[in-house]
Amino acid sequence: MQDLRAVLDRLDAAGRLRRIAEPVSPIFDLASVSRFAQLDDTLSHDVLLFERVEGAELPVVANLMVRRENVALALGIEPRDLLAHGVRALERPIPPVRVERAPCQEIVERAPDVDLRTLPICQNSELDGGRYITAGVHITRNPETGARNIGLQRNEVHDADTLGIWMAPTHMRRHYEIVEAQNRPLPVAIVIGVHPAVLIASQFRTAFDEDELPAAGGLLGEPIETVRCVTCDLEVPAHAEIVIEGEVLPGERHPEGPFGEFTRQYGIERPLPVVKVRAITRRRDAMYQNVLSGKSPEHPMIGALGREPSLFRAVHAALPTVTAVHMPLGSGANMHAWISIKKTSEGDAQKVGFAAFAHQDLIKHVIVVDDDIDIFDPFEMDYALATRVHAARDIFVVPRVRAVVLDPAAEEYAVGKGTVDKMIIDATKPHLAPPGSFTMADVPAAALARVAAHRARFFGGA
Ligand code: MN
């Protein structure tokens, strides 16, 4: 059970798949219908399957990664177990196994007989510079060590066989820097239409040269089956819907952007590297997947599901009394980290704060709370900030740390371009607070449990 269509079957059985037969344009319309559904109470829980997209033969899956409940359903777990399940996958990875024949290669088109424009690639945000692949899992190898990396990057369609690429300043970009210095291209496979486990694994923050695909196997509980690409020595998930094989060319730059990003703002147009497509392989009846970025919660949700387990491991290594971490969607699931701890000493908050900053470049504001606060509930976070913080004592600022360029604050306001100030808020109770001094007032828990046990007496029904 490692293909996207099996996930859709499972969602369908649970009443969570909505098929849309009305034809839509891939230019803004598909995104707008998806966004409308996200904002509508009766539609926001559903994954969408657009059966007819103008100018393309293939259907499009949308809103797959908007709700934690649907991702949990795909993985066969409860939503509240997503963090622990991700941590377990990182700790107990299952290496992929290679197969010789794969559904993702039922149809093989090689250059020059490839045309990206036959795929239902969408234009999503109003000011986007063109059509963008937004759910493309990029697979590359470190040219020096051969180690595999998988990550999500955005690709603008430039023409029939050329894509733009914005490489986040992480592992794939490092691979490209190494080969570009030798004036060689970087082979890349862009995989579209995979099990959510692979999308989540693409957001795991593993060490450089530590393959993320075994962790995807850990999420699934079975090895990911891979197949060798038809034009290069990379392996891709065999059960993917579509694979674009290509090379990031050395020394080539082409204007790319703007693109509505996880920051809810546009990444500006800049000269960026290009991918020359060497082949497109796919299933005979392949499905394409579109992910909405910008104000939509979907793009940050994918990030949160991968980065939270990674962050948990990092801060838990620094302080074993960490109980949970959350990267809220409002911050793009990047800039804010909320961390709960069983506090055993003053200064615990600073320690996990520094561990979080060291682990992920984009984390800017860390709020540390006690473990009686539910960090997945913004209401409770407000409560902790309101009742447990003395600003002059509990806020720590680390000035002028290297920033990621997509952070709007880094571009406009930082002291020294490309840096931001980082902040830790210690919203924990004093370690030696007098017993009973922070007791939360509520009705007696035992009385509440008695009501629950006799619910029908008061409210009727079964
Ligand atoms: Mn990596």
Side-chain angles (χ1 to χ4, degrees):
M1 157 71 194
Q2 55 181 265
D3 52 10
L4 174 59
R5 51 192 64 205
V7 169
L8 296 190
D9 287 346
R10 190 177 271 191
L11 288 161
D12 199 12
R16 290 294 186 86
L17 181 70
R18 196 173 284 266
R19 291 188 172 80
I20 297 174
E22 177 74 11
V24 292
S25 165
I27 312 298
F28 300 129
D29 287 352
L30 190 147
S32 300
V33 176
S34 307
R35 184 75 180 125
F36 180 89
Q38 290 176 6
L39 295 167
D40 185 274
D41 284 347
T42 63
L43 303 172
S44 66
H45 290 268
D46 294 345
V47 173
L48 306 179
L49 181 62
F50 291 90
E51 295 175 327
R52 295 169 69 191
V53 183
E54 292 167 9
E57 284 178 23
L58 307 184
V60 177
V61 180
N63 289 1
L64 176 66
M65 304 295 285
V66 172
R67 311 286 301 204
R68 280 180 190 256
E69 297 89 326
N70 289 339
V71 176
L73 194 64
L75 292 169
I77 60 172
E78 293 297 317
R80 66 173 172 276
D81 295 331
L82 277 164
L83 176 63
H85 190 73
V87 172
R88 261 197 309 278
L90 285 162
E91 286 170 351
R92 288 177 228 161
I94 300 174
V97 294
R98 185 152 152 176
V99 297
E100 294 307 315
R101 295 174 59 82
C104 70
Q105 294 176 346
E106 284 173 354
I107 297 206
V108 175
E109 295 165 340
R110 293 169 194 267
D113 298 320
V114 294
D115 191 348
L116 293 162
R117 294 168 301 193
T118 63
L119 296 174
I121 300 171
C122 301
Q123 192 160 354
N124 291 339
S125 291
E126 188 169 10
L127 303 182
D128 280 1
R131 294 163 62 170
Y132 271 88
I133 297 170
T134 56
V137 176
H138 288 54
I139 300 183
T140 54
R141 285 191 187 282
N142 180 335
E144 291 175 338
T145 65
R148 175 167 47 213
N149 190 70
I150 73 172
L152 275 179
Q153 321 289 345
R154 74 188 200 206
N155 307 101
E156 183 175 1
V157 178
H158 289 326
D159 58 41
D161 67 348
T162 316
L163 292 166
I165 181 167
W166 192 83
M167 283 172 272
T170 49
H171 300 159
M172 179 184 174
R173 187 191 283 195
R174 185 70 203 122
H175 295 175
Y176 178 62
E177 287 167 354
I178 292 169
V179 290
E180 192 180 37
Q182 303 160 352
N183 199 32
R184 289 190 297 139
L186 179 70
V188 59
I190 303 170
V191 186
I192 304 164
V194 289
H195 192 288
V198 178
L199 282 177
I200 294 169
S202 78
Q203 300 305 295
F204 280 148
R205 290 296 184 259
T206 54
F208 189 54
D209 273 1
E210 187 182 351
D211 186 7
E212 290 87 354
L213 220 42
L219 284 171
L220 275 177
E222 64 184 46
I224 301 277
E225 293 185 354
T226 60
V227 69
R228 188 187 182 279
C229 285
V230 299
T231 63
C232 64
D233 191 25
L234 290 168
E235 289 156 4
V236 292
H239 296 268
E241 297 289 326
I242 302 166
V243 180
I244 298 170
E245 301 182 12
E247 292 177 323
V248 194
L249 301 180
E252 291 271 331
R253 298 293 186 271
H254 189 277
E256 192 268 7
F259 178 72
E261 270 288 352
F262 68 88
T263 55
R264 300 184 165 199
Q265 299 189 22
Y266 289 92
I268 57 171
E269 183 184 301
R270 280 174 294 170
L272 290 183
V274 298
V275 178
K276 203 43 114 174
V277 177
R278 302 301 181 203
I280 299 176
T281 78
R282 63 174 174 89
R283 290 177 182 248
R284 203 169 304 284
D285 57 346
M287 295 179 286
Y288 179 81
Q289 185 186 0
N290 189 47
V291 166
L292 275 194
S293 189
K295 285 180 79 173
S296 158
E298 186 172 25
H299 179 165
M301 181 63 83
I302 298 172
L305 292 167
R307 290 190 292 262
E308 285 174 351
S310 310
L311 178 65
F312 180 89
R313 289 190 80 202
V315 295
H316 189 265
L319 190 80
T321 55
V322 168
T323 53
V325 305
H326 179 39
M327 301 184 71
L329 300 182
S331 74
N334 260 319
M335 300 192 200
H336 288 182
W338 296 347
I339 301 172
S340 60
I341 63 173
K342 261 188 218 304
K343 185 171 171 180
T344 61
S345 164
E346 292 305 329
D348 279 356
Q350 290 91 320
K351 187 163 187 211
V352 293
F354 288 125
F357 295 150
H359 185 248
Q360 293 182 31
D361 280 357
L362 269 157
I363 293 176
K364 198 159 70 169
H365 302 150
V366 174
I367 304 178
V368 183
V369 298
D370 299 295
D371 67 334
D372 62 335
I373 300 294
D374 176 2
I375 57 174
F376 288 88
D377 183 349
F379 181 92
E380 296 216 358
M381 290 303 291
D382 264 347
Y383 166 78
L385 287 170
T387 61
R388 299 179 184 180
V389 174
H390 292 254
R393 185 190 70 193
D394 293 328
I395 296 177
F396 304 88
V397 175
V398 186
R400 297 168 70 180
V401 183
R402 188 181 86 164
V404 173
V405 65
L406 285 175
D407 180 347
E411 293 257 292
E412 292 169 26
Y413 310 118
V415 182
K417 193 170 159 68
T419 67
V420 291
D421 299 345
K422 308 244 170 179
M423 174 176 67
I424 302 166
I425 302 180
D426 180 356
T428 60
K429 297 175 281 192
H431 174 46
L432 298 175
S437 56
F438 282 84
T439 303
M440 286 190 225
D442 200 353
V443 297
L448 197 61
R450 280 198 298 278
V451 176
H454 303 288
R455 176 192 178 112
R457 252 188 238 168
F458 308 101
F459 302 107

